[in-house]
Amino acid sequence: MQTVTANQAKTQFGAFIDMAQKAPVRVMRHERVVGVMVSPEDYEAMRAYFADRLVRTMDRTANQAAQAGLTPAQVDALLADES
């Protein structure tokens, strides 16, 4: 992964965008990572991956709850905001 300083990203923004189209680019400020620029395609792929992962986790959790005998009414009671 290529790395640029925040100042380089600001002053050479066009080149920074071009770099990110090829591979993610790490942005550093004061020797720490403050951001990463990725292409739109990489960003959408990451969003799709994590959305699918969330759906699979929710399905697995729902199945485990059902197997443990948790009813929809009990779930509603657990999730009710009674503060």
Side-chain angles (χ1 to χ4, degrees), residues 2-6 8-28 35-38:
Q2 294 190 28
T3 301
V4 299
T5 66
Q8 287 172 315
K10 180 176 76 170
T11 60
Q12 302 167 4
F13 193 66
F16 176 56
I17 291 173
D18 290 342
M19 289 169 56
Q21 299 311 302
K22 298 176 182 119
V25 181
R26 180 180 17 233
V27 181
M28 306 285 291
V36 176
M37 172 77 93
V38 297

Side-chain angles (χ1 to χ4, degrees), residues 53 55-65:
R53 183 173 157 186
V55 168
R56 286 185 282 121
T57 298
M58 291 172 61
D59 287 344
R60 185 175 60 248
T61 302
N63 289 335
Q64 290 170 346

Side-chain angles (χ1 to χ4, degrees), residues 28-41:
M28 306 285 291
R29 181 186 295 148
H30 304 296
E31 298 183 19
R32 65 183 182 89
V33 177
V34 294
V36 176
M37 172 77 93
V38 297
S39 70
E41 295 81 13

